[in-house]
Amino acid sequence: SSEDTMGHHLVNEFITEDFRESVQEVLEKALRGLEEANFAFPLITKDGRRLEILLNATSRRDVDGDIIGVVGIGQDITARITQEQEYSRLIDTANAPIFGVDRSGNVTVWNKCAANLSGYSSEDTMGYHLVNEFITEDFRESVQEVLNKALRGEEDSNFEFPLVTKDGRRLEILLNATSR
């Protein structure tokens, strides 16, 4: 409640120790007119729970335009982060190879099953262009088209193509492509 917080030092009393310096820096920047958007940090509640907060810090100005404080608008993103972590865990532990690419075609997701089948670890693939680096030349154009369609929201299922494994074998993959 406001009675529990008014007159208390925000950073020293409500921010976890490991984030105090960075949160203080965001607030000090806002006091200098350098506003911060989408800064994530943990906040400890009265009952000791840890919430993940997304903060926008804006300079507060008087009628003359002079900075007189900071307005922080925070959003509790704890549930979203938990959901994203669960989603990532499900993808990583699935018993089917799952990969993801960004709009440029670079690998952003490479689960354990994809790593086991292909011999390429997640570290081997992240940031590399999926089609140019891991698809046989004769299928690059058709695989790229399936991915382009998925990025436009057009799903494709049961598209078969070869993936080149780390040891040079040709592995037949059945692709279901969707955007997320």
Side-chain angles (χ1 to χ4, degrees), residues 1-8 10 14 43-47:
S1 70
S2 61
E3 294 83 28
D4 295 325
T5 57
M6 296 301 277
H8 292 268
L10 172 69
F14 302 104
L43 180 75
I44 305 302
T45 65
K46 184 177 180 177
D47 62 3

Side-chain angles (χ1 to χ4, degrees), residues 82-132:
T82 302
Q83 184 179 32
E84 288 172 357
Q85 289 170 341
E86 178 65 13
Y87 182 69
S88 292
R89 188 189 66 75
L90 288 171
I91 287 175
D92 200 43
T93 60
N95 63 357
I98 298 176
F99 61 85
V101 296
D102 61 17
R103 292 199 167 277
S104 299
N106 298 322
V107 177
T108 57
V109 174
W110 193 264
N111 76 346
K112 289 178 183 174
C113 187
N116 291 338
L117 287 173
S118 69
Y120 289 106
S121 69
S122 177
E123 293 78 20
D124 291 336
T125 60
M126 288 297 180
Y128 288 94
H129 197 273
L130 176 75
V131 172
N132 293 343

Side-chain angles (χ1 to χ4, degrees), residues 3-173:
E3 294 83 28
D4 295 325
T5 57
M6 296 301 277
H8 292 268
H9 194 278
L10 172 69
V11 174
N12 291 341
E13 296 184 45
F14 302 104
I15 307 300
T16 60
E17 190 173 336
D18 54 332
F19 274 82
R20 285 181 185 151
E21 187 176 322
S22 56
V23 171
Q24 185 66 41
E25 184 178 325
V26 167
L27 297 176
E28 287 173 3
K29 282 182 178 178
L31 283 171
R32 293 191 312 266
L34 304 169
E35 299 176 354
E36 182 85 29
N38 300 322
F39 177 77
F41 68 95
L43 180 75
I44 305 302
T45 65
K46 184 177 180 177
D47 62 3
R49 290 180 299 122
R50 178 183 167 126
L51 299 178
E52 299 297 328
I53 303 296
L54 190 63
L55 174 70
N56 291 317
T58 305
S59 305
R60 183 172 176 215
R61 298 175 184 271
D62 64 14
V63 292
D64 297 323
D66 296 325
I67 297 172
I68 59 170
V70 175
V71 175
I73 302 171
Q75 177 182 2
D76 181 357
I77 58 171
T78 308
R80 186 183 88 194
I81 288 174
T82 302
Q83 184 179 32
E84 288 172 357
Q85 289 170 341
E86 178 65 13
Y87 182 69
S88 292
R89 188 189 66 75
L90 288 171
I91 287 175
D92 200 43
T93 60
N95 63 357
I98 298 176
F99 61 85
V101 296
D102 61 17
R103 292 199 167 277
S104 299
N106 298 322
V107 177
T108 57
V109 174
W110 193 264
N111 76 346
K112 289 178 183 174
C113 187
N116 291 338
L117 287 173
S118 69
Y120 289 106
S121 69
S122 177
E123 293 78 20
D124 291 336
T125 60
M126 288 297 180
Y128 288 94
H129 197 273
L130 176 75
V131 172
N132 293 343
E133 299 288 332
F134 305 105
I135 306 301
T136 60
E137 192 169 338
D138 53 330
F139 273 81
R140 286 182 184 157
E141 187 176 325
S142 57
V143 171
Q144 187 63 60
E145 180 55 31
V146 169
L147 296 176
N148 289 343
K149 285 172 54 179
L151 289 168
R152 290 191 306 263
E154 302 170 36
E155 295 185 8
D156 204 333
S157 59
N158 298 324
F159 178 78
E160 193 172 328
F161 71 94
L163 181 75
V164 180
T165 64
K166 192 169 188 173
D167 62 7
R169 292 179 294 116
R170 183 179 165 128
L171 184 65
E172 295 298 321
I173 299 290

